[in-house]
Amino acid sequence: MAEVRIELPQGTLDLLILKALTLESMHGWAISERLQQVSREALQVQQGSLYPALHRLERRGWIKAHWATSENNRRAKYYTLTLQGKKQLEVETTAWRRLASAVGHVLDMA
Amino acid sequence: MLNDLLYRLRALFHREQMDAEVDEELRNHLERETEKYRRAGSPPEEATRRAHLAMGGSEQAKQQCRESRGTKLFDDLLQDLRYAIRSSAKTPGLAVLIVLSLAIGIGANTAIFSVTSTLLLKPLPYPSPDRIAILWLRVPGIGIPQDWPSPGQYHDIVTQNHVFEDTALATGGSFTLTERSKATKVDGIRATSSLLPMLGATPMLGRVFLPEEDLPGKPATIVLTYGFWQRQYAGDATIIGRSITLDGHPYAVVGVLSSGFGLNHEVLPTVAGIDRPDLFLPPADEARIPDNYGSENYNILARLKPGVTMQQAQSDITVIAARIREAKHRDRSFTISVVPLIDQVVGNVRTSLLILMGAVALVLLIACTNVANLLLSRAAVRRREIAIRAALGAGRARVVRQLLTESILLSVFGGAAGLAIATLSLSVARRMHPGNIPRLDELAMDWRVLCFTLAVSILTGVVFGLAPALRASRVDLTASLKSGAKGSLGGGLSIRHDKLRGALVIAEIGISLPLLIGAGLLGRSFVRLANVQPGFNQQHLVSMEVGVYGPQFKDPVKRVQFYQELAERTTHLPGVTATGAVSGLPLTSAIGWGGMHIEGHVPPPNEPELQADVRAATPPYFSAMQIPLLHGRTFVESDTNIMPPVAIIDQKMADRFWPQGDAVGKCIRRSEDSPWVTIVGVVGAVKSYGLDADSRMVVYYPHGQIRNGTMYVVARTSSDPAATIAAITHLVNTMSPDIPVYDIATMEQRVQDSMARQRFAMTMLGGFAGFAMILATIGIYGVMSFLVAQGTPDIAIRMALGARRSSMLSLVFQQGMMLALVGMSVGLVSALALTRVMGSILFDVRPTDPLTFVSVLALMLVVAVCACLFPAGRAMRIDPMVALRTE
């Protein structure tokens, strides 16, 4: 396993969580697994950042939480993207793309 | 936004549930993680270890989850508060001292500022009150500081002034109202139609007076005040148009004033001395005569034109007064002064109030100093505790916030207690209300002031809580945790190492000393006043005014007969040993004076005409009052109008004109064209205008020759004064139901009432000085206790090394007394500077009275010794073994 870990810039985790939730409702562990897989193991989200972020998003009304039975028959807290969250995701995605391309342009200079 | 708020609220109220959910969530996560590693082939222990590693600190995550809920601020506050209460409870003494200091500062301030603002700052309840003035004659050259003007002078002012928008002429009087064969004494004001509109009085029923009613020959009309209408006629609206009988004459009621209107003696001091008018009448005929300069019995009120200042008005009136002076050959010092109405109302209490306000500002200063001092001590004691918390990872901001929460908590408690003290003081002040301090009836808590003082004290708490908090939060951990930071050995107990705290104590003593001296001066002044002999024996003496006027007493002989008969019957009442009557009783508002010519005494040119107080007295008046007869004889029943006119003069007049004691047999007369009157006796002088006021020369005429209708009846009684008063009133009623009896009081009471204002000022300032002393004591005690607590290990080591207990006592004691003595020197100097402003409210005591200064210094010294002795005693009792072991 590659030991190269990327430090997530401030606020990026929120964006990634919102993105991860676009397909389906998930519980915390699944979200962290999903992010790890999709990022090809480059991103490992520690619970110390994941759960506070989830609570923060819930407080802002971008995701909703409910308790449900998971695939292995355990009670788990599932998070779902709200309508407001979807809009927020669009806004943040656009912003991120713009930032990334701007940073890219600067780095590609010369 | 709403979602956010709801979430936070849920987080607040369902904290435990949410914590449990987070726990469960994290536990799930860990299980899943472990399972993942096990599936990947790790042995169970290895899987658990790796899962833990991958997840990071579990407690940290929980804490961060809590923070992300957005209730951290509140949670911390709660925690801080709980901690603050616990730590205050651990040092209850210090907390109590801080709260007490604040409470006294806030409470005393709010109370006295409320009094001041009620009296001085609240505008009078009239339209544009700052443009209303009252006009007085002043003839300082012949000892008349203030006298009532006449209709003639009013007319001159009305026709010649350039500064007044409107003017009004008024005079007060008492009348007998006869209704269904029952007589009541009522007070009224006769005034030009301009008076009521000038004071903003509007009719609730009917109308006020019309300008044409100022002219003679109009039907007699009357306007009632709301209070009188309610009292006398139970608010009967059909009163308008009805006729009522005053002094035997019918008057048609044309209006009732609205309830908001009030006018009293403070605003309009009429010559008759009535307190509050019950009704208003058009001017009497004599007031309508433009050249009536003789009757100086009127008040003139004026409303300045907009934009005209009081000074401009005064210069304009001075010119008119000069013309009157020339035309009427008045004394050189004759002038007319324009007095703003608010000055008229509060003039003579202004100085007392300003002194009280100064006193209170000083008390607030002391209280804040105390709080600062105690907070500093508190922070110093807790350096170690703070260092431990910092070592355990508390952030600097967190520590500062904790300390701030504590000081604000104390401030809030102090504020609450202060509110209680303010409420209490105000109710005491209201109960003590001497009745002759204007506007005190309106006394109410001034909430703006309460907020102000609260803000000041909380600010003190914050500032002086913050300073040590910042300092403490910067502490060098290792240094503080080693015992070195707690009372360093090198510095020992020395206050030199604590300059700020020492300076605060010095300031406190320096500030409270002038307050105490001020209170001492007032107290001494009051004792002097109370010891003044009024010139009569006020014990067991009842007095009341009897109004014998009206149609059936038109014949003066009837009046004399009435008082003779009343005296005859009164002497037969049980307990009554003597009775008499006089037209102007000392210490009442009844007055009378006039010109005086003395046989053989030709006043030098340019010297003003002699003036003397004039009284009519019945023969037994002097013996009833126990006014001593010094020469000659008193009056006898045969001194009537068919006998040669006689007079008795007082010692003051006798000493001035016949210093050899040969006044008896000499002649005086009231004016150039009145008959000569022979002096038959000389009696002792009495204090007519108050114990603190010089009386004027008095001439008494026998009632048989000056046959006044309204007389004060006095009776000396050995039985219950109330019973005697009731019996005399009953006698008057049976003799004639039309005769009112009023202004009833014992002479003892009149003497007490005449000192009420001084007693009020003394009690107030005394109270504040007491507060100041308590605060300063708290200050010294607090600092000394702190030094002992700080120095405990130091003292213990010294003792262990063989220092004697007594030397520990004197060490602490000396430190404290040093502060006290420096403070007292500072206080002495400021007292010498500050008490000078009190000169005008002191009676027979100089502002630098040595006895007061010495006694107060001695008192302060005793207090300082006590405040130092207790901590010093504690230092002496320190057990070295116990103290060193706790280290």
Side-chain angles (χ1 to χ4, degrees):
Chain A
M1 191 172 81
E3 282 300 312
V4 184
R5 297 264 165 79
I6 301 170
E7 282 279 314
L8 281 177
Q10 191 84 42
T12 318
L13 180 59
D14 291 3
L15 175 64
L16 297 181
I17 294 173
L18 291 178
K19 181 70 193 171
L21 288 173
T22 42
L23 296 176
E24 55 178 335
S25 304
M26 278 189 279
H27 48 75
W29 183 74
I31 294 172
S32 84
E33 284 300 297
R34 169 73 54 88
L35 291 179
Q36 211 167 324
Q37 286 165 14
V38 174
S39 69
R40 296 176 196 99
E41 303 286 323
L43 296 175
Q44 187 168 13
V45 184
Q46 293 218 322
Q47 60 166 351
S49 343
L50 176 67
Y51 287 97
L54 285 170
H55 284 241
R56 193 164 54 238
L57 293 174
E58 190 186 351
R59 171 153 67 83
R60 293 191 181 139
W62 296 340
I63 58 176
K64 286 189 306 212
H66 65 276
W67 288 88
T69 314
S70 68
E71 64 283 359
N72 62 352
N73 252 336
R74 303 283 292 269
R75 217 168 82 93
K77 198 174 180 187
Y78 277 81
Y79 295 93
T80 317
L81 201 61
T82 64
L83 198 64
Q84 233 187 322
K86 276 185 191 132
K87 281 186 201 145
Q88 186 63 25
L89 177 63
E90 278 166 32
V91 171
E92 288 198 12
T93 310
T94 319
W96 174 259
R97 292 243 159 87
R98 220 180 278 154
L99 176 72
S101 86
V103 172
H105 282 307
V106 173
L107 294 180
D108 292 345
M109 205 170 53
Chain B
M1 219 29 235
L2 184 66
N3 185 66
D4 190 306
L5 188 68
L6 287 176
Y7 184 91
R8 284 186 205 226
L9 281 177
R10 197 151 50 89
L12 259 185
F13 293 108
H14 301 285
R15 177 201 316 278
E16 264 138 49
Q17 192 197 331
M18 290 187 94
D19 280 350
E21 286 183 7
V22 169
D23 280 351
E24 190 176 345
E25 228 179 337
L26 292 176
R27 214 169 37 241
N28 269 344
H29 192 109
L30 185 68
E31 280 169 13
R32 294 274 185 136
E33 197 77 4
T34 316
E35 208 181 306
K36 187 178 87 179
Y37 289 120
R38 227 184 31 230
R39 261 194 227 146
S42 306
E45 292 84 43
E46 176 63 9
T48 313
R49 197 187 64 82
R50 285 185 64 183
H52 271 293
L53 212 62
M55 280 177 68
S58 169
E59 283 307 310
Q60 213 180 349
K62 280 186 206 167
Q63 180 61 28
Q64 277 171 2
C65 281
R66 256 177 241 135
E67 284 174 21
S68 70
R69 278 183 224 150
T71 58
K72 181 172 184 309
L73 199 71
F74 188 82
D75 290 343
D76 284 356
L77 184 68
L78 266 186
Q79 195 191 352
D80 283 352
L81 272 178
R82 262 196 304 260
Y83 191 77
I85 291 170
R86 234 182 305 141
S87 84
S88 294
K90 235 187 294 167
T91 48
L94 205 57
V96 165
L97 290 185
I98 293 176
V99 169
L100 198 66
S101 300
L102 280 171
I104 290 174
I106 296 172
N109 256 290
T110 308
I112 206 67
F113 264 88
S114 301
V115 171
T116 317
S117 72
T118 304
L119 268 55
L120 284 186
L121 308 177
K122 211 155 98 188
L124 294 167
Y126 305 120
S128 319
D130 49 330
R131 278 169 50 211
I132 307 179
I134 184 163
L135 274 60
W136 291 105
L137 306 186
R138 298 204 192 285
V139 201
I142 55 172
I144 299 178
Q146 174 172 306
D147 198 0
W148 286 266
S150 65
Q153 291 149 358
Y154 173 72
H155 189 259
D156 288 344
I157 288 167
V158 169
T159 51
Q160 297 173 24
N161 88 80
H162 307 94
V163 288
F164 297 141
E165 184 178 276
D166 206 359
T167 47
L169 183 69
T171 188
S174 298
F175 307 87
T176 306
L177 169 74
T178 335
E179 289 253 309
R180 287 177 238 103
S181 77
K182 184 174 160 284
T184 325
K185 178 221 172 206
V186 297
D187 292 331
I189 286 181
R190 287 186 170 278
T192 53
S193 60
S194 49
L195 180 76
L196 291 175
M198 183 188 293
L199 297 177
T202 49
M204 196 191 83
L205 291 175
R207 61 171 175 88
V208 291
F209 299 114
L210 307 168
E212 55 262 34
E213 284 177 291
D214 292 342
L215 303 170
K218 300 287 172 206
T221 52
I222 193 165
V223 169
L224 309 181
T225 60
Y226 180 84
F228 181 68
W229 176 57
Q230 287 293 333
R231 231 171 25 247
Q232 187 75 22
Y233 301 105
D236 177 6
T238 65
I239 190 77
I240 303 296
R242 241 163 71 185
S243 170
I244 64 173
T245 308
L246 289 186
D247 288 356
H249 299 292
Y251 290 84
V253 178
V254 294
V256 174
L257 298 177
S258 46
S259 61
F261 178 73
L263 184 64
N264 61 18
H265 187 70
E266 266 86 39
V267 179
L268 191 70
T270 61
V271 75
I274 61 168
D275 184 37
R276 260 167 221 280
D278 299 311
L279 38 85
F280 289 85
L281 302 156
D285 285 341
E286 68 154 28
R288 296 169 165 139
I289 305 166
D291 60 351
N292 176 2
Y293 290 91
S295 166
E296 294 188 342
N297 297 317
Y298 288 81
N299 295 98
I300 301 178
L301 284 181
R303 175 178 287 283
L304 274 59
K305 287 180 184 162
V308 172
T309 66
M310 286 288 167
Q311 285 81 3
Q312 286 164 341
Q314 179 64 69
S315 358
D316 193 56
I317 297 308
T318 306
V319 174
I320 300 172
R323 278 184 218 133
I324 296 173
R325 182 172 63 224
E326 293 306 318
K328 300 289 158 192
H329 311 290
R330 300 295 297 243
D331 182 71
R332 264 179 312 170
S333 62
F334 174 90
T335 182
I336 299 176
S337 69
V338 178
V339 179
L341 204 57
I342 187 77
D343 284 4
Q344 173 68 39
V345 174
V346 295
N348 43 4
V349 290
R350 186 181 292 264
T351 319
S352 313
L353 276 176
L354 292 178
I355 289 173
L356 275 183
M357 269 178 84
V360 152
L362 293 182
V363 171
L364 183 63
L365 209 59
I366 297 177
C368 288
T369 313
N370 242 352
V371 172
N373 217 334
L374 294 168
L375 283 175
L376 284 179
S377 305
R378 194 178 155 82
V381 169
R382 295 175 51 187
R383 274 168 81 95
R384 229 169 107 118
E385 173 205 325
I386 292 164
I388 292 174
R389 299 184 55 173
L392 292 179
R396 182 162 170 214
R398 193 73 185 73
V399 169
V400 169
R401 223 170 68 194
Q402 164 67 42
L403 290 178
L404 263 187
T405 308
E406 290 188 25
S407 45
I408 291 173
L409 181 75
L410 289 173
S411 302
V412 168
F413 274 121
L419 181 61
I421 288 188
T423 317
L424 200 71
S425 323
L426 281 184
S427 79
V428 168
R430 234 176 272 131
R431 201 159 323 131
M432 268 187 60
H433 179 201
N436 58 356
I437 291 186
R439 314 182 77 193
L440 201 55
D441 317 326
E442 312 161 24
L443 184 58
M445 174 89 71
D446 193 320
W447 292 99
R448 290 163 304 165
V449 171
L450 181 70
C451 293
F452 169 76
T453 42
L454 255 165
V456 167
S457 8
I458 289 180
L459 199 69
T460 311
V462 170
V463 169
F464 286 90
L466 197 58
L470 285 175
R471 208 168 63 181
S473 68
R474 263 203 312 272
V475 289
D476 175 359
L477 292 187
T478 22
S480 292
L481 287 174
K482 287 185 192 162
S483 66
K486 212 183 179 191
S488 85
L489 285 177
L493 279 174
S494 180
I495 46 168
R496 261 170 287 143
H497 289 256
D498 221 326
K499 284 205 186 100
L500 180 58
R501 206 165 292 125
L504 288 178
V505 169
I506 290 172
E508 271 179 50
I509 298 174
I511 295 167
S512 49
L513 199 68
L515 271 181
L516 278 173
I517 288 180
L521 287 172
L522 273 185
R524 212 164 127 65
S525 163
F526 187 76
V527 171
R528 284 275 166 101
L529 189 63
N531 284 334
V532 168
Q533 292 303 317
F536 53 86
N537 178 2
Q538 72 266 39
Q539 313 285 321
H540 312 295
L541 206 54
V542 299
S543 62
M544 67 207 73
E545 198 175 359
V546 179
V548 182
Y549 36 68
Q552 70 268 49
F553 291 105
K554 268 226 158 72
D555 179 4
V557 177
K558 287 260 178 62
R559 300 182 201 152
V560 177
Q561 282 168 354
F562 177 88
Y563 283 103
Q564 279 171 347
E565 195 190 332
L566 180 61
E568 170 65 22
R569 290 203 192 181
T570 304
T571 44
H572 289 112
L573 289 175
V576 173
T577 54
T579 179
V582 71
S583 60
L585 191 68
L587 308 180
T588 64
S589 55
I591 43 157
W593 69 70
M596 183 63 47
H597 294 255
I598 291 163
E599 188 181 27
H601 175 84
V602 183
N606 291 332
E607 183 123 312
E609 186 194 29
L610 277 174
Q611 295 265 342
D613 282 1
V614 173
R615 308 270 183 269
T618 63
Y621 169 71
F622 302 101
S623 56
M625 290 284 281
Q626 295 184 1
I627 299 171
L629 177 70
L630 304 173
H631 298 288
R633 65 166 175 93
T634 62
F635 297 135
V636 289
E637 298 292 351
S638 58
D639 290 325
T640 60
N641 58 327
I642 54 163
M643 297 297 287
V646 293
I648 290 174
I649 61 171
D650 77 340
Q651 195 179 5
K652 193 155 180 145
M653 182 162 175
D655 286 350
R656 175 158 170 198
F657 294 103
W658 300 279
Q660 278 82 42
D662 51 350
V664 174
K666 300 291 191 299
C667 288
I668 55 174
R669 58 179 172 183
R670 305 181 76 168
S671 63
E672 296 283 356
D673 42 8
S674 55
W676 288 105
V677 179
T678 312
I679 297 171
V680 294
V682 177
V683 294
V686 296
K687 291 281 182 188
S688 283
Y689 302 103
L691 298 179
D692 55 347
D694 279 337
S695 28
R696 295 143 46 103
M697 300 186 296
V698 184
V699 180
Y700 298 91
Y701 297 103
H703 191 228
Q705 295 176 347
I706 301 284
R707 296 168 293 195
N708 269 34
T710 300
M711 297 282 276
Y712 272 95
V713 170
V714 294
R716 190 167 292 281
T717 176
S718 56
S719 62
D720 177 31
T724 308
I725 287 168
I728 298 176
T729 313
H730 181 71
L731 276 184
V732 173
N733 286 339
T734 51
M735 285 169 67
S736 169
D738 283 357
I739 293 175
V741 174
Y742 46 94
D743 194 13
I744 299 165
T746 66
M747 281 315 276
E748 181 77 56
Q749 212 173 325
R750 290 190 202 276
V751 170
Q752 291 302 319
D753 286 352
S754 78
M755 297 189 289
R757 197 171 272 183
Q758 286 89 344
R759 189 182 300 123
F760 187 74
M762 182 186 69
T763 316
M764 297 293 266
L765 193 58
F768 288 117
F771 282 145
M773 194 166 78
I774 295 172
L775 289 174
T777 312
I778 291 175
I780 307 175
Y781 174 81
V783 166
M784 292 322 293
S785 302
F786 161 74
L787 286 177
V788 170
Q790 285 285 83
T792 301
D794 186 43
I795 294 172
I797 287 174
R798 290 189 192 202
M799 281 188 173
L801 293 178
R804 277 203 316 255
R805 285 177 184 275
S806 61
S807 70
M808 286 300 103
L809 179 80
S810 71
L811 175 70
V812 174
F813 189 70
Q814 271 171 22
Q815 301 272 3
M817 287 314 286
M818 180 75 84
L819 289 180
L821 287 177
V822 175
M824 281 164 73
S825 325
V826 173
L828 193 61
V829 174
S830 43
L832 281 172
L834 287 178
T835 53
R836 210 172 309 152
V837 301
M838 294 181 65
S840 68
I841 62 165
L842 292 180
F843 173 74
D844 205 18
V845 174
R846 276 181 304 132
T848 53
D849 182 52
L851 184 67
T852 310
F853 272 69
V854 169
S855 347
V856 170
L857 280 175
L859 176 70
M860 196 79 207
L861 205 61
V862 170
V863 168
V865 165
C866 292
C868 293
L869 220 49
F870 284 102
R874 207 176 304 140
M876 192 180 76
R877 283 193 306 274
I878 286 173
D879 181 338
M881 288 321 290
V882 174
L884 289 175
R885 213 168 276 147
T886 49
E887 274 304 296

